[in-house]
Amino acid sequence: MSILRVENLKAHYVTRKHRKVTRVLAVDGVSFQINKNEIYGIAGESGCGKSTLLKAVSGLIKPPLEVVEGQVQYQFDDRDLDLLTLRGEQERREIRGVRISHIPQGSMSVLNPVRRIRKSFEDIIGAHLGIKDKREFEDMVRKHIEALGLDWNVMHSFPHQLSGGMRQRITIALATILRPDVIFADEPTTALDVVVQRGVVQLIKTIKKEQQNTLVIVTHDLAIHANLCDRLAIMYAGKIVEEADAEALFADPKHPYTEMLLDSLPIVGDRTTRESAPGAPPSLVHPPSGCRFHPRCPQAMERCKLEAPNLIEVEIGHRVACFLQEGIVDENVQEFDAR
Ligand SMILES: Nc1ncnc2c1ncn2[C@@H]1O[C@H](COP(=O)(O)OP(=O)(O)OP(=O)(O)O)[C@@H](O)[C@H]1O
Ligand code: SF4
Ligand SMILES: [Mg+2]
């Protein structure tokens, strides 16, 4: 059962200077759905639109970001919600933290440096649940943070007294204290060393298991996706170019860009240096014509410069946007996604 359906979403950064309008096509026609209780990963090189996509689907839409087209529909147990028709910031704020929680990129630094950690918990709980009673507040927070393996004493600390890993754990604890239905985590392990990263991934798994929520995680680290995700989407230049069960995607990547990304992954025990994906992602102000990947694609054909491939289901649950996949659609697949 799906909890989120996104249809043809276009979210652009629009800036105006001296009557000149610049439009960054950061998310440009993205459709996908997230199943209840799954862990859905989003990967792709820097600048491909991962953070913008998370912002748009969690309702963090403020200038210069504009949603110019598309639909973002949630199906919670007790109600359906059309995110893009919510009226104003007040309604969106009521949803955020309670139904949808967004852990932003670089969130370790969002904790207020001059306030003790306890204050941040008081703010979020006070704002949403209106708990004023000290005992009730402490019980709730203690239960939550101890379930996450954190010590109550961190409540009395200022952010700068904690390590980066601990700050990230606190940020995640804060984002999940209200047991949201869907958690969006944007690069939650970036900037942490490998051992600490493992701890943060474990923490995310613990929360997911305990709260039974749905998790959407963005990271460019494919090893984390392999470890954590049920399904995975690969983005390139504002679009999803491939989506499949994580296992299938790693075992049998079908888009040339996914192959390129996987080829750049280090292999355990292999000491030769691996090349990062050759070439660079394109500008999203003037993206390439046709298939946006064509200037870097080793298999590009004449047609690829002229036409954009649709994202089609080529095997059950495996969608790919590449002309090379045309005509080899699995006979069991009947659905055809026109984007
Ligand atoms: N406030 C903004 N104004 C204009 N352009 C922006 C803004 N924020 C992001 N962009 C552009 O939108 C595109 C997508 O950015 P986004 O941050 O979504 O990428 P990303 O995939 O999350 O990258 P990273 O892996 O570096 O976090 C990029 O070209 C970026 O330069
Ligand atoms: S459509 Fe063409 S350019 Fe794009 S990935 Fe496929 S072969 Fe390469
Ligand atoms: Mg980002």
Side-chain angles (χ1 to χ4, degrees), residues 152-163:
W152 176 251
N153 285 329
V154 294
M155 285 295 129
H156 313 302
S157 309
F158 288 100
H160 72 268
Q161 295 172 312
L162 303 171
S163 66

Side-chain angles (χ1 to χ4, degrees), residues 180-201:
D181 295 87
V182 189
I183 303 167
F184 294 101
D186 194 351
E187 303 276 5
T189 58
T190 308
L192 300 174
D193 72 47
V194 177
V195 177
V196 181
Q197 278 187 9
R198 250 180 251 144
V200 170
V201 169

Side-chain angles (χ1 to χ4, degrees), residues 13 15 24 26 44-53 55 64 105 186-187 220 284:
Y13 295 97
T15 48
V24 181
E45 283 165 295
S46 186
C48 68
K50 305 180 296 296
S51 295
T52 309
L53 178 59
K55 281 185 211 160
Q105 189 165 4
D186 194 351
E187 303 276 5
H220 59 268
L284 294 184

Side-chain angles (χ1 to χ4, degrees), residues 66-135:
E66 290 179 13
V67 169
V68 293
E69 212 176 312
Q71 293 195 336
V72 178
Q73 311 262 7
Y74 285 90
Q75 287 93 40
F76 300 120
D77 284 342
D78 56 343
R79 67 181 280 205
D80 289 354
L81 182 106
D82 184 340
L83 187 86
L84 300 179
T85 60
L86 288 182
R87 287 184 304 275
E89 189 51 23
Q90 174 67 18
E91 270 192 3
R92 289 204 195 105
R93 210 176 301 136
E94 280 164 20
I95 300 295
R96 281 204 303 267
V98 186
R99 296 304 193 145
I100 303 167
S101 197
H102 179 260
I103 302 169
Q105 189 165 4
S107 55
M108 276 186 298
S109 50
V110 301
L111 292 169
N112 190 330
V114 296
R115 307 190 81 197
R116 292 183 200 274
I117 301 298
R118 182 192 169 98
K119 284 278 172 206
S120 299
F121 279 92
E122 282 177 6
D123 287 350
I124 188 159
I125 293 175
H128 288 286
L129 302 183
I131 292 180
K132 300 266 186 316
D133 181 71
K134 192 174 164 215
R135 273 277 293 284

